[in-house]
Amino acid sequence: MAVAAHKPYWMPDDPVFRPCWAGAALHADGIPENWARDNEGEGISQKNRNYCELTVLWWAWKNLRADYLGLAHYRRYFASAQTGEKKSRIASGDYLMGQLDKAPVILPKKRNYLIETNYSQYVHAHHEEDLAQTRAILEERYPSYLAAYDASMGRMTGHRFNMFVMRADLFGSYCEWLFDVLGELERRLDISGYSDYDKRVYGFVSERLLDPWIETNHIDYVELPVVNLEDQHWVKKGTSFLKRKFTAEK
């Protein structure tokens, strides 16, 4: 499992995890000696400011070989328990393999927006054009995915974080499809006027594409909880979430 990180940070002592420095083509100072870099081999490291952890996903797709491949974040991992000291809750390689005996894919438990659909949550936080162009691309290039995309946009729940473990053939198929869609989106969107935050658009959009791919291809999966090693500031996040929603609806 590739672990995307853009700064030195604690890593689990388990050989299943492969730390990889994200955006190494843009900033290479301080990379720990035993970490991989997303500009080694074939990669899109130079796009990290727009693709976020997806530059590590591309690196893993093109440069790692294993029966199963996955992506995690230096602060965020699949968990084998809901309670206890955070680092001790991180699911080990052996635990993950046990889950993969049940299904070929592991996903994080769905996020529930409660008062927002996946579509409205995105457009209140980002640019509606991102999703409009994404839908147009699917309609033109992958019409069989359109029904699942529309259904997903209308729901209040979804798999987030760009986190998963997949059997290698599924991992490759997903990456090929995902990066084709995002590459076309990159050609169509003008993000020159976006804030630095919204310029991470391709990372944000990719989170909304995983469920349509899973559902269209009828992929079985298991869900695991996620442990975040740092405080998530839920009160602040909740306040911002409500402010965006009700300000936008006035």
Side-chain angles (χ1 to χ4, degrees):
M1 176 174 285
V3 182
H6 63 270
K7 62 181 181 180
Y9 203 84
W10 175 89
M11 289 287 164
D13 184 18
D14 187 319
V16 75
F17 298 108
R18 183 75 181 276
C20 183
W21 190 275
L26 305 175
H27 59 103
D29 294 338
I31 300 178
E33 185 176 334
N34 60 337
W35 286 21
R37 308 176 182 209
D38 67 354
N39 64 343
E40 295 175 332
E42 184 176 348
I44 56 170
S45 179
Q46 72 281 2
K47 296 185 177 185
N48 179 255
R49 292 191 179 97
N50 307 125
Y51 276 72
C52 311
E53 64 274 2
L54 297 186
T55 61
V56 174
L57 178 61
W58 179 289
W59 172 83
W61 172 36
K62 295 296 187 179
N63 298 285
L64 294 183
R65 296 293 177 265
D67 293 336
Y68 294 89
L69 293 162
L71 181 68
H73 189 275
Y74 72 99
R75 295 177 300 183
R76 195 163 48 234
Y77 297 87
F78 287 114
S80 56
Q82 295 272 24
T83 60
E85 192 273 329
K86 288 185 176 182
K87 292 178 181 178
S88 69
R89 289 158 53 192
I90 296 173
S92 67
D94 288 342
Y95 184 88
L96 293 173
M97 287 305 300
Q99 298 300 307
L100 290 165
D101 286 338
K102 305 173 185 177
V105 172
I106 299 173
L107 300 178
K109 286 188 177 296
K110 290 181 180 178
R111 170 168 283 188
N112 192 329
Y113 291 111
L114 299 174
I115 58 173
E116 290 265 47
T117 64
N118 290 313
Y119 183 85
S120 65
Q121 185 276 331
Y122 188 97
V123 300
H124 288 155
H126 308 291
H127 293 266
E128 188 172 15
E129 182 69 6
D130 307 343
L131 296 185
Q133 289 293 344
T134 299
R135 189 183 189 280
I137 291 165
L138 293 180
E139 188 172 28
E140 294 168 20
R141 300 170 74 123
Y142 298 101
S144 64
Y145 287 82
L146 203 56
Y149 177 81
D150 287 343
S152 177
M153 288 295 103
R155 290 195 291 263
M156 294 184 177
T157 60
H159 297 103
R160 292 295 176 264
F161 309 133
N162 285 322
M163 280 181 63
F164 44 81
V165 183
M166 296 183 183
R167 198 176 64 211
D169 61 318
L170 298 176
F171 185 91
S173 295
Y174 175 62
C175 288
E176 184 173 4
W177 175 82
L178 175 68
F179 286 111
D180 184 61
V181 174
L182 295 180
E184 181 60 25
L185 183 62
E186 187 178 4
R187 285 185 282 273
R188 297 188 186 193
L189 278 183
D190 177 6
I191 65 171
S192 59
Y194 283 21
S195 67
D196 286 345
Y197 179 67
D198 280 331
K199 284 180 179 178
R200 297 159 61 185
V201 53
Y202 309 112
F204 295 143
V205 168
S206 68
E207 291 185 88
R208 279 75 183 176
L209 289 173
L210 177 58
D211 283 337
W213 183 82
I214 289 285
E215 292 165 22
T216 300
N217 291 288
H218 308 290
I219 306 295
D220 291 331
Y221 62 87
V222 294
E223 293 183 336
L224 288 180
V226 172
V227 55
N228 196 310
L229 299 184
E230 296 183 359
D231 293 336
Q232 299 186 71
H233 307 292
W234 286 115
V235 173
K236 181 178 179 181
K237 286 185 176 181
T239 301
S240 297
F241 173 76
L242 293 171
K243 183 178 179 180
R244 288 195 304 266
K245 175 176 171 60
F246 293 112
T247 299
E249 289 185 352
K250 288 182 180 179

